[in-house]
Amino acid sequence: MDAFAQLTKLNVGYVGVTSDNAAAFIAREAGIYARNGLDVQLIYFNSGSTAVTALITGDTPISQTAGPASSTRR
């Protein structure tokens, strides 16, 4: 990638501080996004509802969320 090329800004949402979200932070710190032309802003949402609202409005075109837990008890 050209050193003078402008990076494409991309907002990426995530819900919760868990190991499930580690890959996004590792990629940012390792410079993987930038090497691929992206300036990724990781945005924390305190609830899945807020994350889904951001997806619907287009504020974050990508977001990592989880569905409700399921129970195997009967």
Side-chain angles (χ1 to χ4, degrees):
M1 175 166 205
D2 183 358
F4 298 104
Q6 190 171 19
L7 299 177
T8 300
K9 293 186 183 300
L10 180 64
N11 292 331
V12 176
Y14 67 98
V15 178
V17 180
T18 66
S19 61
D20 294 344
N21 300 317
F25 288 92
I26 293 168
R28 183 183 66 184
E29 296 305 314
I32 294 170
Y33 297 132
R35 283 197 306 267
N36 288 282
L38 298 173
D39 177 13
V40 173
Q41 176 70 36
L42 297 173
I43 301 171
Y44 172 76
F45 294 109
N46 62 0
S47 74
S49 299
T50 306
V52 170
T53 300
L55 281 170
I56 291 169
T57 62
D59 291 334
T60 56
I62 300 171
S63 190
Q64 182 168 340
T65 62
S70 62
S71 175
T72 57
R73 269 197 208 168
R74 295 180 190 242

